[in-house]
Amino acid sequence: RVWCLGDNKYGQLGRSVSSPNAAREPKLVAGPLGESHSGCIAIMSGWSHILALVKAKCSTKITLYGWGRNDKGQLGKKFDG
C-alpha cells in the first residue's frame, strides 16, 4: 500500500485535486496502489510529483506509475508548453 501526506495542489498525493489540498495525516493513494499487496517496490518523489515502480503478482513485469504535476513532462507524458 502507498500512503502520502502533505500538499495536494497538483494531485501529488494520488487523490483528486478537488479533495482538501493538505493532508496532515497519511492517507492511502487512490486506485490500485492504495490496495493491500499493491506490488509497489520503489517510490521516487520530486517537488510536486511522485513515481512508483510496481511489480505484477506472479510475474516479472514491472510498471511505472506517475502522478502529480506534469508542467515540465516529469511524469513522462507529453507536455505542450
XYZ file of all heavy atoms in Angstrom:
608
model
N 0.842 -1.187 0.000
C 0.000 0.000 0.000
C 0.878 1.238 0.000
O 1.934 1.253 0.595
C -0.866 0.019 1.249
C -1.907 -1.063 1.277
C -2.658 -0.991 2.551
N -4.068 -1.091 2.227
C -5.018 -1.070 3.116
N -4.738 -0.910 4.373
N -6.263 -1.178 2.745
N 0.380 2.271 -0.650
C 1.116 3.532 -0.711
C 0.313 4.605 0.018
O -0.868 4.796 -0.251
C 1.374 3.955 -2.175
C 2.071 5.299 -2.224
C 2.193 2.893 -2.895
N 0.981 5.265 0.946
C 0.379 6.339 1.733
C 1.115 7.640 1.417
O 2.322 7.634 1.210
C 0.533 6.057 3.222
C -0.125 4.799 3.693
C 0.312 3.521 3.483
C -1.312 4.686 4.439
N -0.543 2.629 4.068
C -1.550 3.310 4.675
C -2.219 5.604 4.959
C -2.634 2.854 5.387
C -3.296 5.155 5.677
C -3.505 3.791 5.880
N 0.406 8.766 1.416
C 1.029 10.071 1.185
C 0.435 11.103 2.137
O -0.692 10.958 2.601
C 0.773 10.542 -0.250
S 1.695 9.659 -1.491
N 1.220 12.146 2.404
C 0.707 13.272 3.162
C 1.379 14.534 2.671
O 2.397 14.485 1.987
C 0.931 13.092 4.662
C 2.373 13.189 5.163
C 2.373 13.919 6.483
C 2.964 11.825 5.327
N 0.796 15.672 2.973
C 1.338 16.957 2.571
C 0.380 17.714 1.678
O -0.828 17.509 1.735
N 0.937 18.575 0.841
C 0.143 19.401 -0.056
C -0.341 18.568 -1.240
O 0.333 17.640 -1.673
C 0.995 20.570 -0.558
C 0.218 21.540 -1.410
O -0.942 21.822 -1.077
O 0.774 22.012 -2.412
N -1.519 18.869 -1.763
C -2.081 18.131 -2.897
C -2.472 19.075 -4.032
O -3.331 18.765 -4.835
C -3.301 17.314 -2.445
C -3.721 16.299 -3.481
O -2.899 15.622 -4.076
N -5.017 16.197 -3.720
N -1.825 20.228 -4.119
C -2.190 21.240 -5.100
C -2.184 20.710 -6.533
O -2.995 21.105 -7.355
C -1.232 22.425 -4.987
C -1.576 23.590 -5.882
C -0.653 24.759 -5.612
C -1.023 25.942 -6.477
N -0.128 27.077 -6.208
N -1.279 19.803 -6.850
C -1.160 19.265 -8.207
C -1.531 17.789 -8.291
O -1.195 17.120 -9.251
C 0.264 19.474 -8.731
C 0.670 20.917 -8.704
C 1.560 21.388 -7.747
C 0.141 21.833 -9.609
C 1.925 22.724 -7.700
C 0.493 23.166 -9.570
C 1.382 23.608 -8.612
O 1.727 24.923 -8.568
N -2.196 17.250 -7.274
C -2.583 15.845 -7.283
C -1.452 14.908 -6.882
O -1.536 13.708 -7.082
N -0.383 15.451 -6.300
C 0.774 14.636 -5.966
C 0.536 13.649 -4.826
O 1.368 12.784 -4.588
C 2.009 15.507 -5.687
C 1.896 16.424 -4.497
C 1.428 17.819 -4.829
O 0.543 18.017 -5.633
N 2.014 18.805 -4.170
N -0.603 13.731 -4.166
C -0.917 12.750 -3.128
C -1.677 11.558 -3.696
O -2.033 10.643 -2.971
C -1.739 13.387 -2.000
C -1.050 14.513 -1.232
C -1.939 14.983 -0.086
C 0.309 14.100 -0.724
N -1.916 11.565 -4.992
C -2.621 10.447 -5.613
C -4.114 10.476 -5.359
O -4.785 9.466 -5.428
N -4.629 11.653 -5.038
C -6.062 11.845 -4.843
C -6.496 13.023 -5.710
O -5.683 13.831 -6.114
C -6.363 12.135 -3.371
C -6.079 10.963 -2.450
C -6.561 11.227 -1.042
N -5.803 12.255 -0.353
C -4.627 12.067 0.216
N -4.040 10.903 0.145
N -4.023 13.042 0.845
N -7.760 13.136 -5.939
C -8.300 14.239 -6.726
C -7.867 15.578 -6.142
O -7.837 15.746 -4.926
C -9.826 14.149 -6.738
O -10.384 15.327 -7.256
N -7.540 16.536 -7.008
C -7.171 17.861 -6.510
C -8.367 18.603 -5.946
O -8.207 19.615 -5.278
C -6.469 18.724 -7.597
C -5.132 18.160 -7.940
C -7.334 18.888 -8.812
N -9.579 18.088 -6.203
C -10.767 18.719 -5.639
C -10.954 18.337 -4.168
O -11.718 18.954 -3.456
C -12.018 18.339 -6.437
O -12.248 16.949 -6.357
N -10.214 17.305 -3.703
C -10.261 16.960 -2.281
C -9.437 18.008 -1.532
O -8.688 18.758 -2.138
C -9.727 15.545 -2.046
O -8.371 15.456 -2.408
N -9.556 18.069 -0.217
C -8.798 19.089 0.525
C -7.322 19.075 0.136
O -6.719 18.022 -0.006
C -9.003 18.676 1.980
C -10.289 17.922 1.978
C -10.348 17.227 0.645
N -6.765 20.267 -0.068
C -5.396 20.370 -0.571
C -4.334 19.775 0.335
O -3.380 19.199 -0.146
C -5.048 21.831 -0.867
C -5.614 22.275 -2.198
O -6.081 21.457 -2.982
N -5.581 23.556 -2.457
N -4.441 19.926 1.624
C -3.390 19.435 2.504
C -3.867 18.251 3.323
O -5.020 18.179 3.719
C -2.920 20.551 3.427
N -2.969 17.304 3.532
C -3.251 16.154 4.391
C -2.205 16.150 5.495
O -1.023 15.964 5.235
C -3.198 14.857 3.585
N -2.631 16.394 6.707
C -1.698 16.431 7.842
C -1.389 15.041 8.370
O -0.422 14.849 9.074
C -2.265 17.306 8.952
C -2.372 18.750 8.533
C -3.015 19.597 9.617
N -3.267 20.921 9.111
C -2.714 22.007 9.616
N -1.915 21.937 10.631
N -2.995 23.182 9.098
N -2.232 14.084 8.020
C -2.006 12.695 8.406
C -1.933 11.856 7.137
O -2.606 12.152 6.156
C -3.154 12.197 9.287
C -3.258 12.931 10.606
C -4.414 12.428 11.448
O -5.001 11.383 11.108
O -4.738 13.083 12.442
N -1.113 10.798 7.128
C -1.017 9.957 5.931
C -2.370 9.369 5.543
O -3.157 8.966 6.386
C -0.063 8.840 6.360
C 0.680 9.384 7.520
C -0.256 10.332 8.211
N -2.624 9.363 4.229
C -3.836 8.759 3.679
C -3.435 7.897 2.497
O -2.440 8.161 1.820
C -4.823 9.841 3.235
C -5.354 10.654 4.392
C -6.402 11.636 3.935
C -6.910 12.435 5.126
N -7.946 13.367 4.747
N -4.239 6.872 2.226
C -3.957 5.977 1.116
C -4.101 6.685 -0.227
O -4.985 7.516 -0.411
C -4.903 4.782 1.129
C -4.617 3.716 2.175
C -5.763 2.720 2.231
C -3.312 3.008 1.860
N -3.227 6.338 -1.162
C -3.332 6.807 -2.540
C -4.550 6.126 -3.162
O -4.830 4.958 -2.878
C -2.049 6.427 -3.306
C -2.184 6.670 -4.784
C -0.860 7.183 -2.735
N -5.284 6.844 -3.987
C -6.454 6.271 -4.650
C -6.018 5.249 -5.700
O -4.935 5.335 -6.260
C -7.268 7.386 -5.309
N -6.875 4.288 -5.971
C -6.607 3.304 -7.016
C -5.817 2.101 -6.534
O -5.702 1.856 -5.332
N -5.233 1.355 -7.465
C -4.589 0.083 -7.125
C -3.401 0.206 -6.178
O -3.120 -0.714 -5.416
C -4.143 -0.477 -8.481
C -4.344 0.574 -9.481
C -5.220 1.623 -8.892
N -2.713 1.344 -6.166
C -1.564 1.470 -5.271
C -1.970 1.606 -3.807
O -1.153 1.408 -2.914
C -0.693 2.653 -5.684
C 0.068 2.451 -6.985
C 0.781 3.720 -7.395
C 1.031 1.306 -6.873
N -3.220 1.934 -3.547
C -3.703 2.027 -2.187
C -4.237 0.706 -1.652
O -4.602 0.594 -0.486
N -4.285 -0.312 -2.498
C -4.819 -1.613 -2.095
C -3.741 -2.473 -1.447
O -2.550 -2.308 -1.717
C -5.385 -2.338 -3.321
C -6.545 -1.609 -3.953
C -7.007 -2.247 -5.254
O -6.460 -3.301 -5.639
O -7.906 -1.674 -5.884
N -4.162 -3.415 -0.600
C -3.234 -4.348 0.010
C -2.501 -5.114 -1.074
O -3.075 -5.440 -2.116
C -3.984 -5.344 0.900
O -4.536 -4.680 2.001
N -1.236 -5.396 -0.837
C -0.412 -6.166 -1.768
C -0.390 -5.524 -3.152
O -0.514 -6.200 -4.160
C -0.883 -7.621 -1.851
C -1.049 -8.261 -0.521
N 0.007 -8.551 0.300
C -2.155 -8.628 0.161
C -0.434 -9.095 1.421
N -1.746 -9.136 1.363
N -0.222 -4.198 -3.197
C -0.228 -3.464 -4.466
C 0.959 -3.830 -5.350
O 0.918 -3.624 -6.548
C -0.219 -1.956 -4.214
O 1.012 -1.561 -3.631
N 2.015 -4.365 -4.765
C 3.192 -4.730 -5.537
C 4.185 -3.596 -5.702
O 5.159 -3.711 -6.436
N 3.960 -2.468 -5.020
C 4.869 -1.326 -5.122
C 6.227 -1.720 -4.545
O 6.318 -2.159 -3.404
C 4.289 -0.124 -4.386
S 5.294 1.349 -4.592
N 7.277 -1.579 -5.353
C 8.611 -1.968 -4.899
C 9.553 -0.779 -4.716
O 10.588 -0.911 -4.081
C 9.248 -3.001 -5.852
C 9.300 -2.473 -7.280
C 8.492 -4.315 -5.782
C 10.033 -3.383 -8.256
N 9.187 0.386 -5.264
C 10.017 1.584 -5.096
C 9.186 2.827 -5.368
O 8.275 2.805 -6.188
C 11.206 1.544 -6.056
N 9.543 3.906 -4.653
C 8.864 5.197 -4.848
C 9.933 6.280 -4.928
O 10.895 6.260 -4.162
C 7.899 5.516 -3.690
C 6.748 4.548 -3.703
C 7.430 6.945 -3.739
C 5.551 4.958 -2.909
N 9.767 7.188 -5.877
C 10.631 8.344 -6.012
C 9.738 9.580 -6.047
O 8.662 9.536 -6.625
C 11.423 8.286 -7.335
C 12.499 7.223 -7.411
S 12.143 5.511 -7.904
C 10.708 5.447 -8.845
N 10.177 10.653 -5.414
C 9.343 11.856 -5.433
C 10.153 13.068 -5.837
O 11.358 13.154 -5.599
C 8.702 12.089 -4.061
O 9.695 12.359 -3.102
N 9.447 13.996 -6.461
C 10.022 15.284 -6.806
C 9.286 16.356 -6.019
O 8.578 16.055 -5.058
N 9.427 17.603 -6.435
C 8.798 18.699 -5.706
C 7.278 18.587 -5.702
O 6.642 18.837 -4.690
C 9.235 20.023 -6.335
C 8.700 21.206 -5.604
C 7.670 22.005 -6.010
C 9.124 21.700 -4.348
N 7.437 22.978 -5.086
C 8.322 22.819 -4.043
C 10.101 21.332 -3.440
C 8.476 23.556 -2.886
C 10.245 22.068 -2.293
C 9.438 23.153 -2.022
N 6.684 18.186 -6.836
C 5.221 18.138 -6.906
C 4.725 16.943 -7.732
O 3.684 17.015 -8.363
C 4.679 19.446 -7.483
O 5.256 19.685 -8.756
N 5.499 15.868 -7.732
C 5.086 14.652 -8.437
C 5.718 13.434 -7.758
O 6.672 13.567 -6.996
C 5.482 14.698 -9.915
C 6.956 14.636 -10.149
N 7.784 15.705 -9.925
C 7.742 13.614 -10.575
C 9.029 15.355 -10.217
N 9.034 14.090 -10.604
N 5.135 12.268 -8.035
C 5.635 11.016 -7.463
C 5.638 9.956 -8.549
O 4.737 9.899 -9.388
C 4.756 10.548 -6.278
C 4.821 11.575 -5.152
C 5.197 9.174 -5.776
C 3.943 11.273 -3.972
N 6.662 9.106 -8.542
C 6.762 7.959 -9.436
C 6.879 6.703 -8.590
O 7.544 6.698 -7.566
C 7.992 8.076 -10.347
C 8.054 9.322 -11.224
C 9.398 9.386 -11.931
C 6.922 9.322 -12.228
N 6.213 5.623 -9.006
C 6.252 4.364 -8.268
C 6.466 3.197 -9.227
O 5.840 3.150 -10.288
C 4.948 4.158 -7.488
N 7.344 2.278 -8.854
C 7.544 1.041 -9.607
C 6.697 -0.042 -8.965
O 6.738 -0.229 -7.746
C 9.006 0.616 -9.586
C 9.979 1.489 -10.370
C 11.413 1.010 -10.145
C 9.639 1.484 -11.845
N 5.918 -0.750 -9.788
C 5.014 -1.773 -9.279
C 5.267 -3.081 -10.029
O 5.268 -3.110 -11.258
C 3.541 -1.335 -9.462
C 2.602 -2.426 -8.996
C 3.282 -0.042 -8.704
N 5.516 -4.145 -9.256
C 5.742 -5.468 -9.838
C 4.434 -6.248 -9.801
O 3.781 -6.346 -8.771
C 6.799 -6.229 -9.041
C 7.162 -7.575 -9.647
C 8.260 -8.230 -8.841
C 8.639 -9.564 -9.413
N 7.586 -10.558 -9.374
N 4.070 -6.785 -10.960
C 2.841 -7.580 -11.064
C 2.991 -8.880 -10.290
O 4.085 -9.447 -10.210
C 2.532 -7.877 -12.528
N 1.898 -9.342 -9.694
C 1.909 -10.603 -8.954
C 2.247 -11.756 -9.886
O 1.775 -11.818 -11.021
C 0.544 -10.854 -8.306
C 0.203 -9.841 -7.242
C -1.179 -10.092 -6.690
C -1.565 -8.983 -5.736
N -2.926 -9.091 -5.281
N 3.073 -12.681 -9.411
C 3.429 -13.899 -10.163
C 3.970 -13.580 -11.548
O 3.672 -14.287 -12.514
C 2.231 -14.842 -10.252
S 1.548 -15.300 -8.670
N 4.728 -12.500 -11.691
C 5.250 -12.101 -12.991
C 6.524 -11.291 -12.784
O 6.797 -10.814 -11.684
C 4.211 -11.249 -13.723
O 4.743 -10.728 -14.906
N 7.283 -11.131 -13.838
C 8.466 -10.270 -13.778
C 8.161 -8.882 -14.342
O 9.023 -8.023 -14.366
C 9.628 -10.897 -14.578
O 9.193 -11.094 -15.919
C 10.071 -12.202 -13.960
N 6.921 -8.670 -14.787
C 6.516 -7.391 -15.359
C 6.536 -6.290 -14.307
O 5.986 -6.439 -13.213
C 5.113 -7.507 -15.959
C 4.620 -6.213 -16.572
C 3.208 -6.359 -17.105
C 2.700 -5.026 -17.576
N 1.310 -5.086 -17.993
N 7.185 -5.179 -14.642
C 7.231 -4.018 -13.754
C 6.649 -2.825 -14.504
O 6.989 -2.574 -15.659
C 8.668 -3.724 -13.290
C 9.171 -4.877 -12.424
C 8.724 -2.408 -12.535
C 10.591 -4.744 -11.964
N 5.743 -2.095 -13.837
C 5.070 -0.940 -14.436
C 5.452 0.314 -13.659
O 5.561 0.287 -12.433
C 3.540 -1.135 -14.383
O 3.218 -2.356 -15.044
C 2.817 0.007 -15.069
N 5.645 1.411 -14.372
C 5.937 2.692 -13.753
C 4.654 3.522 -13.717
O 4.011 3.728 -14.750
C 7.004 3.444 -14.551
C 7.337 4.856 -14.075
C 8.004 4.813 -12.700
C 8.229 5.555 -15.082
N 4.263 3.970 -12.523
C 3.106 4.852 -12.348
C 3.620 6.231 -11.963
O 4.609 6.347 -11.240
C 2.189 4.352 -11.223
C 1.395 3.124 -11.558
C 1.909 1.850 -11.335
C 0.125 3.227 -12.094
C 1.175 0.713 -11.634
C -0.624 2.098 -12.397
C -0.085 0.850 -12.160
O -0.821 -0.268 -12.462
N 2.957 7.272 -12.416
C 3.316 8.628 -12.039
C 2.079 9.463 -11.820
O 1.073 9.277 -12.500
N 2.145 10.385 -10.858
C 1.016 11.275 -10.616
C 1.520 12.581 -10.035
O 2.622 12.671 -9.512
C -0.042 10.626 -9.720
C 0.404 10.223 -8.343
C 0.304 10.964 -7.195
C 1.008 8.988 -7.957
N 0.802 10.262 -6.133
C 1.237 9.045 -6.566
C 1.381 7.836 -8.646
C 1.828 8.005 -5.854
C 1.968 6.804 -7.931
C 2.181 6.887 -6.555
N 0.703 13.617 -10.182
C 1.064 14.948 -9.705
C 1.262 15.905 -10.868
O 0.718 15.725 -11.949
N 2.089 16.892 -10.668
C 2.312 17.950 -11.657
C 3.118 17.431 -12.845
O 4.045 16.639 -12.685
C 3.048 19.117 -11.008
C 3.035 20.364 -11.836
C 3.563 21.534 -11.052
N 3.295 22.766 -11.790
C 3.655 23.940 -11.363
N 4.279 24.068 -10.207
N 3.391 25.010 -12.067
N 2.775 17.909 -14.041
C 3.464 17.497 -15.263
C 3.809 18.706 -16.124
O 3.864 18.620 -17.343
C 2.585 16.506 -16.049
C 3.330 15.865 -17.185
O 4.433 15.383 -17.014
N 2.744 15.868 -18.365
N 4.084 19.857 -15.514
C 4.321 21.072 -16.288
C 5.630 21.057 -17.074
O 5.816 21.835 -17.993
C 4.261 22.301 -15.383
C 5.362 22.335 -14.350
O 5.718 21.265 -13.813
O 5.864 23.441 -14.070
N 6.539 20.165 -16.760
C 7.803 20.041 -17.487
C 7.978 18.637 -18.059
O 9.071 18.243 -18.425
C 8.978 20.336 -16.548
C 8.900 21.661 -15.819
C 9.404 22.788 -16.674
C 9.576 24.066 -15.908
N 8.405 24.850 -15.694
N 6.895 17.847 -18.091
C 6.967 16.490 -18.611
C 7.536 15.494 -17.619
O 7.931 14.400 -17.987
N 7.560 15.850 -16.337
C 8.182 14.995 -15.327
C 7.461 13.664 -15.094
O 8.023 12.758 -14.501
C 8.400 15.738 -13.999
C 7.182 16.360 -13.362
C 6.947 17.797 -13.755
O 6.875 18.131 -14.919
N 6.786 18.663 -12.766
N 6.236 13.517 -15.589
C 5.521 12.247 -15.455
C 5.744 11.340 -16.669
O 5.231 10.229 -16.721
C 4.021 12.487 -15.267
C 3.628 13.249 -14.016
C 2.119 13.412 -13.956
C 4.139 12.555 -12.772
N 6.526 11.828 -17.625
C 6.775 11.040 -18.821
C 5.645 11.126 -19.841
O 5.603 10.391 -20.795
N 4.724 12.053 -19.603
C 3.623 12.291 -20.548
C 3.975 13.479 -21.422
O 4.755 14.347 -21.030
C 2.322 12.597 -19.796
C 1.825 11.472 -18.953
C 0.553 11.902 -18.251
C -0.003 10.800 -17.390
N -1.229 11.223 -16.693
N 3.367 13.542 -22.591
C 3.603 14.664 -23.486
C 3.256 15.968 -22.797
O 2.244 16.087 -22.123
C 2.762 14.502 -24.752
C 2.994 15.594 -25.758
C 2.149 15.387 -26.995
C 2.378 16.527 -27.945
N 1.526 16.454 -29.107
N 4.117 16.934 -22.965
C 3.900 18.270 -22.390
C 3.914 19.284 -23.511
O 4.868 19.361 -24.282
C 4.984 18.596 -21.366
C 5.001 20.037 -20.943
C 3.949 20.540 -20.200
C 6.029 20.862 -21.301
C 3.945 21.871 -19.811
C 6.035 22.194 -20.914
C 4.996 22.696 -20.170
N 2.836 20.054 -23.673
C 2.750 21.091 -24.688
C 2.954 22.445 -24.045
O 2.005 23.166 -23.778
C 1.375 21.053 -25.399
C 1.189 19.784 -26.178
O 2.162 19.311 -26.774
O 0.061 19.254 -26.177
N 4.169 22.795 -23.713
C 4.403 24.050 -23.024
C 5.366 24.848 -23.749
O 5.843 25.811 -23.809
